[in-house]
Every structure is written in structure tokens, then in C-alpha cells.
Amino acid sequence: MKTICQILLCLFLSTSLPAQQFYLRGEVKDESGNPLQNVSILSLRTGYLYRSGGGGAFGIISTQKTDTFSFSLDGYRKEILSVTADNYLSVRLKLQPLANGNLHKANRLLSLTRGLVREEKRKWFAGDETYSSIVENKFIQTRSFPLTGLSLNVDRASYSNIRRFLNMNSMVPPDAVRVEEMLNYFNLNYISPKPGDCFGMQTQVSSCPWNPQNRLFYINLSARKLDLEALPPSNLVFLVDVSGSMDMTNRLPLLQSAFRLLVNNLRAKDSVSIVVYGGVTGVMLHTTSGAEKDSIFRAIDALTPGGSTPGESGIKLAYTMARNHFIKGGNNRVILATDGDFNVGLRTEEELDELITRHRESGIYLTCLGVGMGNYKDSKIQTLARKGNGNFAYLDNYNEAEKVLLKEFTQTLYAVADDAYLNVNFNPQYVKQYRLLGFDNKMGALIDSTAEVEGGEIGSGYSMTGIFEIEPAMGDTVVLEKFADLSLRYKHPGDTTVRYFTHNSFYNFQPLSKLDSSFSFSATVALFGSMLKESVFTKHISWNELLAMAISSARGGDKLEQEFIAMVQQARTIYTRAKGKKKKRNTNE
């Protein structure tokens, strides 16, 4: 009996004592050493699921001194590893390989007239902000070079960035001024294309306000509008910079408000995921239907800044997420929101260029939203957008966010054409020489003898105006012969077939004063850009003359055009004051 009691007592004690517990610790990083947050850590023994936290770290209580776990994250290869309580485990997840491998592209040009001599290099710095050094297009002899081309896009970041400088009572770095993006900002003179056509085009010749002997040649292009009810489903990946440099009101908080506006437009068949990079790189929201707006809003509101800027790992993860949830025939797009200050991983524009080029062939578009001031890296974000088969906007305030992501929702996020490139073939009988306004090229691209022109993305309902300054070889009499042939080369989204849209232009001269206001306003915007760039072609024009043009050409009921007048007034004050100080300094010397 005594023996039986002892046995029962031993059994009782063995079942009532708690099992020994062990603490299994470690961290999860990518191949570059950047922490990965929200990595799924599955215990293969119990089936319990854990996740890595801030800094990619994890800590798991286990009854086993050594346990086996599966580490997985969208876009990365799964790893199955043993974790021992005595050892701190460092897990490195590798990205899933790209199907297309590495694709190298030559430098990209915005415009090209073959055979021209390369320009010498120069560089412009504005404090800590960087801009791609660009060379203003010069006059070209038509008889030697009748054919020229330009890459079309819907970028308009330069205009709102100029507005930001002027509102700061500061001069604008000349290389931050891109005339074609200033013209894009207004979406002027939209005329619906004919039924069945993707594009509509009209041309006009007028007097030149800064050179009475020359003429302006306008090309207005309008893209068809997609039916809002029939828009294809979207697979959107918000790639958000949450590094320490984003901890300012006009950066991350502004982006959070902007993304909320965008989410309000989403439908149930659309999906969103959120990838962040900063102190950690990780998936903050796995692919979620646009109908679950509260879940998306909570993820957006939970974003907090801190840490360095591992842009490389963030971009790679976002593209992999987009590829893993790719919608065939849909709108697959990464939306990168950043001040562009990539200081961990890839840093140079060339490295970023190569990284993005590897992904553009997959059918995933890239929209870039720039924010902030002081260390805003315009040149880097521009490189990403243009190489990523996408577009680029700069958000300097909430109104601009509303314009880009709400009012111009379809232009920003839905393409009707890819690789759009316009050839203009002038008739030397009527044009002695010509100069393209804007579409200026980077120094590096001009120096590179292998540089080529790649077309851009055209959004739904987009209207652009390109302007040439020409020296006529004849008078202003109307002629029936062709003044110029225009040929637009493009592809439908997701299609490899090259298509063409052609237009024959005739010399339909009208004085600037009698033009439709959309054309005369375009000329004023182009002149404003030229004066901000301190162009040699417009240096004799005064700010008062420009202001008079702005007032006469802007429509009274258009808020954007009235705001333009205020910007010209502000620029007149800033640049006149700077000129006075320079003159006084030279006198004293």
C-alpha cells in the first residue's frame, strides 16, 4: 500500500510541475542586411504562427530547447531553420528571382535629333537638393536635320516644385525647371479623339512673343478617356518611405492624407498592399480588397517614421509583391512615395536606373510621388519614374495631392498607351531652323553615344502641348503644302504591337493676340519656364512683360491659371530683388 501511494505521489508531482521553458531569439533581414518586419514565423511542431517585429527581431517561448520554424514573407524565398535557445539566430531571406533576369538599357533621352555634337557636362546643386544636370535644346538647321523626336509622358512634378520654391521666397534652381512638365500640369485644350482612335491631334502656328522674327509651332495631343465603369481591376502596392527624414508635416502625414484620397476611389475588385522601408523593411498590409477601406485606412494611419532609408530593399520587395499578385489585363502598379533620400543600399542614379529597368518589362507600372524640402532628391525620383514606365508628381500641399490622386485619378493611374514617342519631320522649304522648348536631356545621356529615346506612359484623358520655336523660311501666307509630318509611335498597355498615329500639319499662322487662349497661355507658361532657367533665348524679356502676358492669357474662372499669375508675380519680386543686389554688388566692386 505504501509503495502504491509513493507511485501515485510521484505521478501527481510530475504532472503538476510546469514544463521547462526556453526563449528562442533572433532577427530576420534581407540580403543587404536591412531588417524585415512582419515576417511569418511558423512553428512546424505546434502550428503556432509568430511575426517579426520592429528591427526584424523575434522572441518565442518554447518548451523545446531547439525548435524548427518556417520563415516566409511575400516576395522572398521561404527558409526552414532550427532555432536553439543558446544561439541568437540571424535569418537572411533572399528575394525570389525575376523571370526576365537582368536587362540592361542605355541612357534614356527625352528628345533626340541624330548626329548632333554632344554638349559639355555641368552640374547644379541647390543646398542638399539634387537635380539632373540638363542641357537646353538649341536651334537645329532643318535642311541638315529635318527629323526630330520627343518622348511623351504625363509627368508634372516640376511645376509644383517650382511653386514650392517661390512660396519659400527662393529662386528656383534652373535644372529643376522642366518646361514640358510645366505644360503638362494644366492639361490644356483637351479635345476627344475620333471614335476608335486612341489619340487626337491639332497643330497651330503663331507669332513668338520673345522673338518677333520667329514663330511658335504648337502640337496639342489628346488621349482617349477610359470608361470609369469599365476600368480594369487594379493591383496597387503602396511603397512608403518611413525613414527619419520623413518625420515632418509636409512629408509622411501629407502622404497619409494623399493615400486616403486614393483609397476612396478604389472598388471591391481593386486590391492594395503596403510595403514600408525605413528602420525596417516589411509588408505592413498584405493584399487587401478595395472594399475593405477601414483595414487599409488603419494600416495607413499606423505608419510612423524612423531610421535610415534602405530604398533598394523596399523597391525590390514592392515589385515582388506586385508580381506575386499580378492581374493579367489589369492595372498593376507600384506607387512610391518618398523624399528620394536613398542613403542605404543603392545610391546613385545609375544604380537605381539599372534596378528599375529590370522590372519594367514585367508589365508593372511605377508612379512616383515626391514630397518634402531640403533634401528632396528630384533627380533620383525622376530616374525611377522614367525608367519604371510610369509618371512622376510632386506633392507640395494637400491641394496638390487632391489634384493628382482624386481629380486626375485616371490620368495618374490608368495608361491608355505605353512607349509613346512623337516624331516631327519639318519641311525645310518652310522652316529654316527649329528649337524644341523643354524635353531637355541630361548631360550624361547626351555624352553617352549609345543613348536612345524610349517612349513614355500616356494616361487616360491626358492632354499635352509641345512647342517648337521656328525660324520660317517664308512669309506668313497660308500654304496648302505640308509644313510638318507628325508620327506618334505607341503600344497599347500589355501589348507588344507597335502602333502609329499620324497627322499632317499645315502653316495655319495666327497672331498670338488672336489665338485660342489655351495656346497663348501655353506660350506664357513656356516663357515663364525659360526665364526661370535664365535661358539665353529669352534674357531680354522683362518680368513685367511676362506678367502682362499671364494676365491677358489666363482664364478668369480657372483657379490653376489664376494661381499661375500669382506665381509670376512672386517670381518677379524675387528675381528683380536678386538682380538689384547683384548690380549693387558689382558697382561696389
Side-chain angles (χ1 to χ4, degrees):
M1 184 70 181
K2 183 178 180 180
T3 303
I4 295 174
C5 290
Q6 288 176 335
I7 293 173
L8 291 175
L9 179 61
C10 289
L11 290 173
F12 172 76
L13 291 175
S14 65
T15 55
S16 61
L17 289 175
Q20 186 175 359
Q21 292 183 332
F22 298 93
Y23 192 47
L24 311 179
R25 299 184 308 121
E27 62 185 7
V28 190
K29 296 183 177 182
D30 65 12
E31 294 172 273
S32 300
N34 300 305
L36 295 175
Q37 191 174 19
N38 280 341
V39 174
S40 297
I41 307 172
L42 177 67
S43 171
L44 300 184
R45 181 176 58 86
T46 65
Y48 291 158
L49 181 64
Y50 309 90
R51 293 190 184 276
S52 60
F58 66 88
I60 300 169
I61 296 175
S62 174
T63 59
Q64 304 293 316
K65 187 175 181 179
T66 299
D67 215 341
T68 305
F69 296 88
S70 167
F71 297 83
S72 62
L73 179 66
D74 277 351
Y76 290 85
R77 292 175 175 173
K78 182 186 296 184
E79 294 285 349
I80 298 177
L81 298 169
S82 295
V83 186
T84 302
D86 295 336
N87 297 320
Y88 185 84
L89 181 66
S90 181
V91 182
R92 293 296 177 101
L93 294 186
K94 297 180 179 179
L95 282 167
Q96 294 175 352
L98 286 173
N100 292 331
N102 292 346
L103 301 171
H104 177 70
K105 294 275 186 175
N107 268 312
R108 181 175 179 177
L109 295 168
L110 286 181
S111 56
L112 174 66
T113 303
R114 298 191 182 279
L116 295 181
V117 178
R118 306 295 178 184
E119 302 284 346
E120 293 183 357
K121 189 176 181 180
R122 65 187 176 91
K123 188 77 175 179
W124 176 279
F125 289 96
D128 288 330
E129 303 192 17
T130 62
Y131 297 87
S132 297
S133 184
I134 55 179
V135 183
E136 186 175 22
N137 290 319
K138 307 297 191 294
F139 275 103
I140 297 170
Q141 294 294 324
T142 309
R143 195 160 295 279
S144 300
F145 305 100
L147 180 66
T148 191
L150 52 147
S151 175
L152 306 181
N153 59 67
V154 297
D155 295 352
R156 57 264 204 215
S158 179
Y159 186 86
S160 49
N161 194 26
I162 289 168
R163 180 175 59 207
R164 188 255 298 187
F165 273 106
L166 296 178
N167 287 338
M168 291 167 53
N169 206 30
S170 171
M171 296 178 70
V172 183
D175 285 346
V177 180
R178 297 186 287 274
V179 172
E180 72 277 9
E181 292 184 21
M182 297 175 69
L183 291 168
N184 282 349
Y185 188 82
F186 295 94
N187 210 43
L188 293 165
N189 204 30
Y190 181 83
I191 298 176
S192 295
K194 295 178 181 178
D197 285 347
C198 189
F199 294 101
M201 193 178 295
Q202 56 181 326
T203 58
Q204 181 66 58
V205 180
S206 81
S207 49
C208 177
W210 55 86
N211 190 341
Q213 282 72 47
N214 286 351
R215 299 291 176 258
L216 295 183
F217 175 52
Y218 306 86
I219 302 171
N220 181 256
L221 176 73
S222 297
R224 69 183 178 91
K225 291 182 179 179
L226 296 174
D227 181 0
L228 292 176
E229 299 300 322
L231 288 175
S234 290
N235 162 35
L236 304 179
V237 180
F238 297 168
L239 174 56
V240 188
D241 182 350
V242 293
S243 62
S245 64
M246 297 291 288
D247 192 12
M248 295 180 67
T249 304
N250 64 341
R251 299 190 187 186
L252 185 56
L254 175 59
L255 286 174
Q256 288 170 308
S257 299
F259 280 126
R260 276 181 157 270
L261 290 172
L262 174 55
V263 170
N264 280 325
N265 269 324
L266 299 182
R267 305 153 298 177
K269 64 181 179 179
D270 301 323
S271 63
V272 171
S273 55
I274 300 177
V275 173
V276 298
Y277 63 96
V280 295
T281 298
V283 179
M284 293 301 294
L285 179 71
H286 290 270
T287 303
T288 302
S289 167
E292 300 179 43
K293 290 182 171 50
D294 288 342
S295 297
I296 302 173
F297 288 150
R298 281 195 298 270
I300 292 172
D301 294 341
L303 301 178
T304 54
S308 57
T309 318
E312 173 191 7
S313 59
I315 292 169
K316 287 180 177 178
L317 179 56
Y319 268 100
T320 307
M321 286 282 291
R323 190 177 74 248
N324 288 348
H325 300 278
F326 190 88
I327 301 174
K328 188 175 182 180
N331 176 35
N332 300 278
R333 187 176 297 264
V334 172
I335 302 178
L336 168 62
T338 179
D339 60 8
D341 189 19
F342 301 107
N343 55 34
V344 175
L346 301 180
R347 301 186 184 188
T348 68
E349 290 174 40
E350 290 76 17
E351 290 176 303
L352 292 169
D353 188 322
E354 185 178 350
L355 172 64
I356 293 299
T357 298
R358 295 202 301 265
H359 293 278
R360 68 172 292 163
E361 303 298 329
S362 63
I364 299 170
Y365 293 87
L366 176 66
T367 289
C368 293
L369 304 177
V371 293
M373 61 181 70
N375 68 341
Y376 168 62
K377 309 299 182 185
D378 175 277
S379 58
K380 291 182 181 179
I381 305 176
Q382 183 189 42
T383 294
L384 292 174
R386 289 181 175 169
K387 275 295 181 182
N389 202 26
N391 52 64
F392 175 27
Y394 178 75
L395 310 182
D396 58 333
N397 54 45
Y398 181 81
N399 289 337
E400 186 63 17
E402 188 176 47
K403 175 179 183 289
V404 172
L405 295 177
L406 190 63
K407 296 177 182 177
E408 298 175 356
F409 174 74
T410 56
Q411 291 175 36
T412 303
L413 297 182
Y414 290 90
V416 297
D418 286 341
D419 299 327
Y421 175 64
L422 180 66
N423 275 316
V424 182
N425 193 359
F426 286 104
N427 187 340
Q429 183 178 348
Y430 303 113
V431 181
K432 184 176 181 180
Q433 57 179 353
Y434 60 88
R435 178 175 74 91
L436 176 61
L437 306 186
F439 299 91
D440 302 316
N441 288 302
K442 293 182 183 180
M443 286 289 179
L446 283 174
I447 293 171
D448 180 5
S449 60
T450 67
E452 58 188 34
V453 178
E454 292 181 272
E457 173 197 19
I458 302 295
S460 167
Y462 164 73
S463 177
M464 66 83 67
T465 299
I467 305 177
F468 285 87
E469 180 181 353
I470 63 172
E471 180 184 345
M474 48 164 280
D476 289 327
T477 56
V478 177
V479 293
L480 298 180
E481 293 185 57
K482 286 183 290 187
F483 167 72
D485 290 327
L486 286 78
S487 177
L488 174 60
R489 186 196 70 198
Y490 68 99
K491 300 174 185 175
H492 285 154
D495 190 359
T496 58
T497 303
V498 177
R499 303 171 188 273
Y500 293 91
F501 179 85
T502 59
H503 179 84
N504 297 327
S505 178
F506 298 90
Y507 195 83
N508 54 350
F509 173 81
Q510 284 193 29
L512 195 68
S513 58
K514 295 184 179 181
L515 276 186
D516 180 271
S517 63
S518 63
F519 288 116
S520 57
F521 183 75
S522 296
T524 307
V525 172
L527 177 57
F528 183 39
S530 296
M531 293 179 68
L532 291 174
K533 289 176 69 69
E534 300 178 330
S535 169
V536 296
F537 300 106
T538 57
K539 61 183 180 180
H540 58 282
I541 298 293
S542 71
W543 286 98
N544 286 334
E545 289 175 295
L546 174 63
L547 180 59
M549 282 183 60
I551 294 172
S552 64
S553 62
R555 293 172 293 179
D558 190 292
K559 291 183 179 180
L560 293 180
E561 294 184 18
Q562 290 302 306
E563 181 190 54
F564 174 78
I565 295 175
M567 288 172 61
V568 173
Q569 291 172 325
Q570 180 72 357
R572 179 184 64 169
T573 301
I574 294 169
Y575 282 79
T576 301
R577 182 174 62 238
K579 185 177 180 180
K581 288 181 179 179
K582 183 178 180 181
K583 184 177 181 180
K584 184 178 180 180
R585 186 166 56 251
N586 292 338
T587 302
N588 292 336
E589 292 175 354

